[in-house]
Amino acid sequence: MRNVTVLTQRELNAQFYSPIAYVVLAVFLVVSGIIFGSANFRPGAESSVRVLFSLVPMTLVFFVPLLTMRLLADEFRSGTIETLMTAPINDAEVILGKFFGALLFYMVMLAATLVYPIFIAAYGQLDTGMAVSSYLGMFLVGALFISVGLFFSTCTQNQVVAGVCSIVLLAVFTFLGDYLAANQEGTLRVLLQHLSINTHYENFTRGMVELSGVTFFATTTILFLFLAVKMLEFRRWR
Amino acid sequence: MIEVNKLTKRYGPVPAIEDVSFSVRAETTGNIVGFLGPNGAGKSTTIRILTCFQPATGGSATVAGYNVFTQSMDVRRNIGYLPESAPLYPEMRCREYLTFRGKLHGMARGDRERAIRRVTERCWLGEFIDRPISQLSKGMRQRVGLADALLHNPKVIFLDEPTIGLDPTQIRETRRLIKELGEDHVVFLSSHILHEVEQICTHTIFIAGGKILASGAPADLRQEISAGSRLIAEIKGEPQAVESAVKAIPGVSAIECETSDAWNRLTIEANGTGDIREDVFKLVSAKGWSLREIRREVASLEDFFIKITAEQRGARV
Ligand SMILES: Nc1ncnc2c1ncn2[C@@H]1O[C@H](COP(=O)(O)OP(=O)(O)OP(=O)(O)O)[C@@H](O)[C@H]1O
Ligand SMILES: [Mg+2]
């Protein structure tokens, strides 16, 4: 566990040194600002963070892979993986260290969006319960996206390939999930709905924290972390 | 310290190393072992297996008394490793990097700071210890990598081509450092520079084409190689007579003769370990010829290396 903390710390620092992370942070804030502004500053619009919260995961499909694509791909490319993995640290600790490093940076990103609910609270009526459950939802979605991005970053030494693969997979589950489910019948439909990230996330934006949603995000996150560990092992076996 | 038994590593169908066995023990091999071979010989592959970075396809190995496959963490705690390209994180500062590495090795704050001071001094990092690694030259990075390998005072230090890319002064300094390290660590270094290995190593292992071809103290190896020695002699006399008489000396396997101004320059290949210079001299004086030069050419490791490499290439074609 100590190793995980050490690596997490290094990863978080590395994010803060990386220009890409700042660009992501800045663009994310601009985009969320635009979403928030266009939803609230129209005549007759009710002031709410609801629209913002329901659209944020869509933008994360693009932003999170930009943060995660570097994680292992770069270690493989530059060869630092050799010094890292000949220190007394095992594969699972490496993956977890990287995961928590990216997750902490993501939480910084989320924290920056707190200005919007605070703004609403100051000038209107903030549904605190809904805001809290939305943030929980965004946290869970982010964790899942990071684990997917991390998995793809373990697969290749090319950051761009890792990034594109993660975006594609996340886009399929976020945008296409609902669409595909709508065109299916019976069990397949139920299954697709259950796999759709939006279905689970929407409940959080309505202020409902459902066990099934939390389990969905937690298990898929753990699944991808597990796959990342296996992939890391496999790559060293070759 | 290092025991390697029939180690094999395949990437796809072709083995990078095959049935590699050797052992490194302070009593028999000394502390500084050179792992010598041409490009693509399998040096880095072997080192990666011994440092627990990659598992082997077959065989077994122990480092510092621990099995590389089953006791990987124990091995890792006892080794330092400088990979071929001295990879580092460019965004970190030297001190920050060494601190990170120290933490990974579980060193407490006080120990860590002491260790960083020690390696800073040993590897001459003083002038750039607080600079970002991205701003350092190749040679400086190599030294940071070396400092990292020494940080936790490991029993065995693996250095993959430690002097590659350094300028002559730094090569000399690095070799001196390696010799110093040999006093209380086992150093296993790979190289394709022969005189480097001859200079600093107490034991040499030759690898080419993924197989161990020879091993021994550099001096013994030279002895072994020079077994079939070559003699150069210049004798004045009738060329045919000289050539056939010298050829008749026991132990001479081949002879070449070049004649100019009545002097015959003979290149004599002798087999066996005996020295035939005396025989040549006696022959010359018995026949009443004159002798103006006689010299024995001892094969260098360089010759051996080139021969082995050529044979390997021949075998592959
Ligand atoms: N990741 C890999 N995938 C496939 N083949 C590899 C890989 N790494 C090494 N090889 C092959 O294994 C053989 C041994 O390579 P290795 O890097 O161990 O050589 P080396 O002795 O270190 O050479 P050099 O002096 O050039 O560093 C080579 O034929 C190389 O092509
Ligand atoms: Mg090599």
Side-chain angles (χ1 to χ4, degrees), chain A residues 2-3 6-7 9-11 13-15 17-18 70 74-76 78-91 93 98 233 235-238, chain B residues 9-11 48 51-57 72-73 76-77 79 81-85 87-89 91-93 96-97 100-101 103-107 148:
Chain A
R2 189 203 65 227
N3 280 334
V6 172
L7 197 56
Q9 203 183 359
R10 197 207 81 80
E11 275 314 312
N13 286 342
Q15 292 282 13
Y17 278 121
S18 137
R70 228 197 64 249
D74 207 38
E75 299 251 6
F76 274 104
S78 70
T80 44
I81 190 80
E82 270 189 59
T83 40
L84 181 62
M85 303 220 60
T86 51
I89 179 166
N90 64 38
D91 299 36
E93 288 171 330
K98 298 267 172 187
E233 275 171 20
R235 287 198 65 183
R236 289 168 56 225
W237 266 101
R238 278 193 321 138
Chain B
K9 174 77 190 179
R10 280 173 221 285
Y11 296 105
R48 285 197 190 113
T51 52
C52 305
F53 177 65
Q54 276 182 339
T57 319
S72 162
M73 287 303 147
R76 293 177 192 203
R77 270 187 275 274
I79 58 164
Y81 173 36
L82 170 66
E84 201 166 352
S85 56
L88 302 166
Y89 300 104
E91 78 278 357
M92 294 177 106
R93 285 164 198 279
E96 197 184 350
Y97 177 69
F100 164 65
R101 298 291 301 178
K103 284 182 185 165
L104 272 188
H105 280 283
M107 297 165 85
D148 165 35

Side-chain angles (χ1 to χ4, degrees), chain A residues 11-233:
Chain A
E11 275 314 312
L12 189 62
N13 286 342
Q15 292 282 13
F16 279 109
Y17 278 121
S18 137
I20 244 186
Y22 283 106
V23 172
V24 168
L25 184 59
V27 175
F28 177 72
L29 289 180
V30 169
V31 169
S32 54
I34 291 171
I35 295 173
F36 180 73
S38 59
N40 287 286
F41 301 119
R42 272 182 295 118
E46 60 166 330
S47 62
S48 156
V49 273
R50 174 84 178 270
V51 178
L52 175 70
F53 289 154
S54 62
L55 288 180
V56 160
M58 313 275 169
T59 67
L60 291 180
V61 167
F62 301 99
F63 290 131
V64 170
L66 288 175
L67 293 179
T68 57
M69 64 186 191
R70 228 197 64 249
L71 292 176
L72 272 121
D74 207 38
E75 299 251 6
F76 274 104
R77 190 195 48 75
S78 70
T80 44
I81 190 80
E82 270 189 59
T83 40
L84 181 62
M85 303 220 60
T86 51
I89 179 166
N90 64 38
D91 299 36
E93 288 171 330
V94 168
I95 294 294
L96 284 180
K98 298 267 172 187
F99 173 73
F100 287 123
L103 191 63
L104 285 180
F105 187 83
Y106 172 71
M107 284 163 77
V108 172
M109 262 168 73
L110 279 191
T113 65
L114 281 174
V115 294
Y116 306 120
I118 290 170
F119 183 86
I120 296 290
Y123 296 98
Q125 203 87 53
L126 178 71
D127 183 339
T128 320
M130 191 203 77
V132 169
S133 73
S134 296
Y135 271 98
L136 177 63
M138 284 194 282
F139 171 77
L140 290 171
V141 170
L144 170 58
F145 284 16
I146 289 169
S147 72
V148 170
L150 181 56
F151 166 71
F152 282 109
S153 186
T154 347
C155 296
T156 166
Q157 54 169 296
N158 186 318
Q159 293 189 34
V160 177
V161 171
V164 170
C165 288
S166 334
I167 291 177
V168 169
L169 186 76
L170 292 177
V172 166
F173 281 109
T174 310
F175 302 127
L176 282 181
D178 288 340
Y179 174 78
L180 289 176
N183 293 320
Q184 298 296 334
E185 300 285 315
T187 40
L188 191 59
R189 176 175 187 145
V190 176
L191 185 73
L192 280 171
Q193 264 173 348
H194 198 81
L195 283 178
S196 161
I197 289 166
N198 249 340
T199 321
H200 292 284
Y201 177 70
E202 252 167 26
N203 292 333
F204 287 95
T205 61
R206 293 202 198 94
M208 291 187 284
V209 177
E210 283 187 342
L211 188 63
S212 72
V214 177
T215 354
F216 169 79
F217 286 116
T219 48
T220 42
T221 304
I222 291 167
L223 172 70
F224 275 98
L225 290 178
F226 176 76
L227 290 177
V229 174
K230 288 295 150 199
M231 184 48 102
L232 189 58
E233 275 171 20

Side-chain angles (χ1 to χ4, degrees), chain A residues 238, chain B residues 11 15-17 37-46 48 54 84 160-161 192 207:
Chain A
R238 278 193 321 138
Chain B
Y11 296 105
I17 56 166
N39 290 132
K43 302 184 294 290
S44 300
T45 305
T46 311
R48 285 197 190 113
Q54 276 182 339
E84 201 166 352
D160 199 349
E161 309 202 3
H192 51 236
I207 183 170

